[in-house]
Amino acid sequence: MARPFLPYGRQTIEDDDVAAVAAALRADFLTTGPTVEAFETAFKQKVGAEHAIAVSNGTATLHLAMLALGVGEGDVCIAPSVTFLATANCARYVGAEVVFADVDPASGLMTPDTLADALSRAGERRVRAVLPVHLRGDVCDLPALKAMASAAGAVLVEDAPHALGSTATFGNEEHPVGDGAYSAFASFSFHPVKTLATGEGGMLTTNDAGLAARARSLRGHGMVRPAGAEPWVYEMPELGFNYRIPDVLCALGLSQLAKLDRFVERRRTLAARYGELLAPLSPLVQLAASPTGSNPALHLLTVLIDFEAAMTTRAAVVDSLKAQGIGSQVHYIPVHRQPYYVNRYGLADLPGADAWYDRCLTLPLYPTMDDGDVDRVVEALARALSL
Ligand SMILES: *Cc1c(COP(=O)(O)O)cnc(C)c1O
């Protein structure tokens, strides 16, 4: 019997998730209703933040963060080159320019060194936000990045869709990602491949009441209800958007959030098994490095492969895996190499991002995989590399 194809990531939807959505469909509200706030409340408690704003998707959370911070034309934002497009694009949505930071080629993360280099390339321009990405789920060195950003007059906006459930130990304190201890905002996405799925969906967390209120009103056209005014009165002091998330999807999110610990534990177990089984393939194949202090709830299981030493190409390995029923993906094509950004800024020299891109390959990781699936993936990879 043919074994099922293993994609690199997929959602885990169970009967009670379906029941939660069905109940929301039968309730009074399809869009903004009580479940939006219930999801926000449960989420902020889970990550230890004071405020959470549920949004239509992860990209919209980043756009709202930029708007709420007042980032605009003449400003610069610093984003790592190894990330999804949205991390950089959000700066452009508000007219700011992007300076791409390089990454550590072993972890794929922005580091204090690569941020220092990016800050120097920003020159005399006004840097307003630095957007560290907790790539794969591993947590960046937030205290160091924050100190450097503050010294430059900027704040951190964590692009954290990969790191829901991750924690990091800084000093003697363990911080859940999203607790806002070092950043103005943290951003999450509930795209189906992420740790928690609502289809489309996202969440912003912050400990700043003013920023939270601003993001909240900008999510709904910039409308605010003046205190004490008649019930029909709303005012639009500034231009906002419709970035609302439906009640129905928040019902799914709330149901999923109750399973986060189980999902995270399963991801950690599977990642540990990958670690054991991949060890004999070293040094040709290595797990992406985890920085000290990071305790990841891995979203992506990314390995670095020396394709040249293996006398093959990534395309051949991807094809071979596919033929063996194994999906894989590349995270990511460095954003500074996208035609839009090359046209705008020329081609920056970011050797860490290029080295990461040359070797990275993401293998299947999601909670419904069983232990034997990991064995199957590693055996297929060894075969693809003729090991
Ligand atoms: C998924 C993702 C986003 C965007 O989220 P969407 O919900 O797809 O808009 C942004 N940044 C990173 C790093 C992501 O992984």
Side-chain angles (χ1 to χ4, degrees):
M1 209 176 73
R3 290 180 295 183
F5 188 82
L6 302 177
Y8 84 88
R10 71 166 279 132
Q11 68 274 20
T12 303
I13 301 292
E14 297 167 328
D15 288 348
D16 57 343
D17 297 311
V18 175
V21 170
L25 281 170
R26 292 192 188 96
D28 293 337
F29 301 91
L30 287 184
T31 188
T32 309
T35 319
V36 177
E37 205 182 315
F39 184 32
E40 291 175 340
T41 301
F43 194 93
K44 75 184 183 193
Q45 286 167 354
K46 189 78 202 167
V47 302
E50 280 170 41
H51 308 277
I53 301 104
V55 178
S56 51
N57 60 68
T59 304
T61 65
L62 293 169
H63 187 189
L64 285 179
M66 294 295 110
L67 291 165
L69 289 165
V71 178
E73 251 166 74
D75 294 337
V76 164
C77 294
I78 294 179
S81 178
V82 174
T83 183
F84 183 58
L85 303 168
T87 320
N89 291 354
C90 69
R92 294 296 307 130
Y93 294 160
V94 295
E97 303 298 341
V98 183
V99 169
F100 288 102
D102 206 359
V103 300
D104 168 13
S107 68
L109 300 183
M110 183 196 283
T111 65
D113 284 347
T114 66
L115 177 56
D117 168 62
L119 284 166
S120 76
R121 278 183 285 117
E124 296 301 302
R125 293 176 289 169
R126 192 165 70 140
V127 180
R128 293 291 310 280
V130 174
L131 293 114
V133 175
H134 305 307
L135 191 75
R136 304 171 287 96
D138 261 321
V139 187
C140 297
D141 184 352
L142 291 174
L145 298 181
K146 184 198 170 156
M148 295 172 69
S150 299
V155 296
L156 295 188
V157 173
E158 295 169 76
D159 191 14
H162 297 190
L164 179 56
S166 294
T167 66
T169 306
F170 299 126
N172 296 324
E173 289 170 39
E174 192 178 11
H175 290 276
V177 167
D179 76 351
Y182 299 94
S183 62
F185 281 112
S187 155
F188 297 89
S189 160
F190 310 128
H191 179 284
V193 296
K194 313 283 160 97
T195 303
L196 184 161
T198 63
E200 297 286 355
M203 191 77 78
L204 267 181
T205 61
T206 179
N207 291 337
D208 183 314
L211 287 177
R214 193 126 190 254
R216 207 175 278 288
S217 74
L218 290 163
R219 172 184 65 179
H221 306 278
M223 285 158 60
V224 292
R225 296 191 189 282
E230 290 84 350
W232 66 86
V233 173
Y234 53 83
E235 284 176 359
M236 191 190 87
E238 59 183 336
L239 190 64
F241 295 82
N242 178 357
Y243 280 163
R244 297 184 309 249
I245 180 172
D247 223 48
V248 176
L249 295 187
C250 289
L252 179 55
L254 202 51
S255 175
Q256 289 263 294
L257 189 63
K259 308 167 184 213
L260 180 63
D261 292 346
R262 170 157 61 90
F263 289 170
V264 165
E265 196 184 301
R266 186 68 197 142
R267 283 176 178 277
R268 288 198 169 126
T269 303
L270 291 165
R273 188 169 184 86
Y274 266 115
E276 276 168 38
L277 297 182
L278 286 168
L281 308 194
S282 170
L284 227 44
V285 179
Q286 265 162 339
L287 279 175
S290 191
T292 32
S294 171
N295 179 27
L298 281 187
H299 155 58
L300 300 174
L301 194 295
T302 306
V303 292
L304 297 171
I305 302 176
D306 190 338
F307 294 102
E308 215 176 313
M311 290 185 292
T312 183
T313 63
R314 177 161 51 201
V317 171
V318 167
D319 278 352
S320 166
L321 287 173
K322 192 175 171 200
Q324 299 179 74
I326 310 293
S328 60
Q329 188 51 273
V330 173
H331 295 95
Y332 292 94
I333 299 168
V335 184
H336 79 281
R337 291 190 167 273
Q338 291 296 341
Y340 172 84
Y341 286 110
V342 175
N343 286 339
R344 194 163 184 88
Y345 303 128
L347 190 57
D349 181 27
L350 301 177
D354 288 341
W356 168 270
Y357 174 62
D358 284 344
R359 296 187 300 155
C360 69
L361 191 67
T362 298
L363 302 174
L365 180 68
Y366 48 93
T368 51
M369 286 174 68
D370 62 30
D371 293 357
D373 290 332
V374 177
D375 301 48
R376 200 182 135 195
V377 174
V378 175
E379 283 159 23
L381 182 63
R383 219 170 289 133
L385 292 166
S386 313
L387 292 175

